[in-house]
C-alpha cells in the first residue's frame, strides 16, 4: 500500500509539472514573438508593426536572419525587442517607420524590475549610430523613446522605394 501511495504521489507531481509546462508554453505562444513575412524568393523579410516580445525569441530570430543574409525591411512601428533587428547588416526602414526603445525588464509580483547591467548589454546590441542616439537622449528609459523621421533616416538605410508596402 505504501508503494502505491508513493507511486500515486509521483504521478501527481509529474502531472503538475507537465500542466505547468503546457500552460507556460501556451502563454508564451500567445506572446508577441517575431513574425517575419518573406517574399517568394525568400530573399527579403518584412517585420510589420511589432510591439516586441521576449528578448530571447527576437535574438534567436535575429541570428537566423543574419545567417540567411537576407534584407529585413522594418515596416510601421517596431518597439521593444523588435528594435534588436536594427543590428542586422541588411536591415532597412521606410520614411514611416517608428522605432520605440525602452529599458529591458522582467515582472516580479506584477511589478517591472530593471537591471543596470542588462541595460548596458541591451544597448550594445544596437548599431553604434543608434547607441550614440540613445546616449544623447538619456539612454534607455522605463518608458518608450521613439526614433523616427529624419533622425531615423540619418541612422538607418532607407528601404528600396520610398513607399512602405503597408
Amino acid at each position: 500500500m505504501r508503494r502505491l501511495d508513493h507511486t500515486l504521489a509521483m504521478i501527481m507531481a509529474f502531472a503538475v509539472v507537465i500542466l505547468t509546462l503546457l500552460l507556460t508554453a501556451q502563454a508564451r505562444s500567445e506572446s508577441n514573438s517575431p513574425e517575419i513575412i518573406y517574399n517568394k524568393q525568400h530573399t527579403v523579410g518584412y517585420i510589420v508593426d511589432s510591439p516586441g516580445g521576449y528578448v530571447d525569441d527576437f535574438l534567436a530570430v535575429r541570428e537566423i536572419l543574419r545567417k540567411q543574409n537576407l534584407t529585413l525591411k522594418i515596416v510601421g512601428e517596431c518597439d521593444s525587442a523588435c528594435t534588436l533587428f536594427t543590428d542586422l547588416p541588411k536591415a532597412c526602414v521606410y520614411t514611416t517607420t517608428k522605432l520605440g526603445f525602452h529599458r529591458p525588464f522582467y515582472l516580479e509580483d506584477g511589478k517591472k524590475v530593471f537591471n543596470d547591467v542588462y541595460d548596458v548589454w541591451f544597448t550594445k546590441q544596437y548599431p553604434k549610430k543608434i547607441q550614440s542616439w540613445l546616449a544623447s537622449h538619456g539612454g534607455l528609459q522605463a518608458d518608450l523613446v521613439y526614433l523616427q523621421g529624419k533622425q531615423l533616416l540619418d541612422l538607418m538605410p532607407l528601404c528600396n522605394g520610398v513607399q512602405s508596402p503597408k
Side-chain angles (χ1 to χ4, degrees), residues 112-124:
K112 289 182 180 180
V113 178
F114 299 98
N115 180 310
D116 293 339
V117 173
Y118 198 48
D119 291 351
V120 171
W121 177 87
F122 207 83
T123 301
K124 288 182 179 179

Side-chain angles (χ1 to χ4, degrees), residues 87-126:
D87 189 45
L88 288 169
K90 293 183 175 181
C92 64
V93 297
Y94 289 94
T95 57
T96 55
T97 300
K98 181 178 178 182
L99 303 179
F101 301 89
H102 69 82
R103 290 182 74 185
F105 64 88
Y106 62 93
L107 295 175
E108 188 173 285
D109 297 326
K111 295 181 182 176
K112 289 182 180 180
V113 178
F114 299 98
N115 180 310
D116 293 339
V117 173
Y118 198 48
D119 291 351
V120 171
W121 177 87
F122 207 83
T123 301
K124 288 182 179 179
Q125 300 304 303
Y126 298 120

Side-chain angles (χ1 to χ4, degrees), residues 19 32 49 93 125 144 150 152 154:
L19 182 60
N32 297 317
D49 289 328
V93 297
Q125 300 304 303
L144 285 169
K150 181 174 176 356
L152 175 58
D154 288 344

Side-chain angles (χ1 to χ4, degrees), residues 50-64:
S50 173
Y54 289 102
V55 171
D56 53 344
D57 291 346
F58 279 78
L59 289 173
V61 170
R62 183 178 75 174
E63 288 315 303
I64 291 167

Side-chain angles (χ1 to χ4, degrees), residues 36-46 70-73:
I36 308 297
I37 302 164
Y38 295 94
N39 67 347
K40 285 182 187 177
Q41 299 79 18
H42 212 73
T43 57
V44 177
Y46 299 86
L70 58 77
T71 298
L72 181 69
K73 298 185 177 194

Side-chain angles (χ1 to χ4, degrees), residues 6 16 80 120 128 144 154:
H6 177 71
V16 168
S80 193
V120 171
K128 296 284 184 203
L144 285 169
D154 288 344

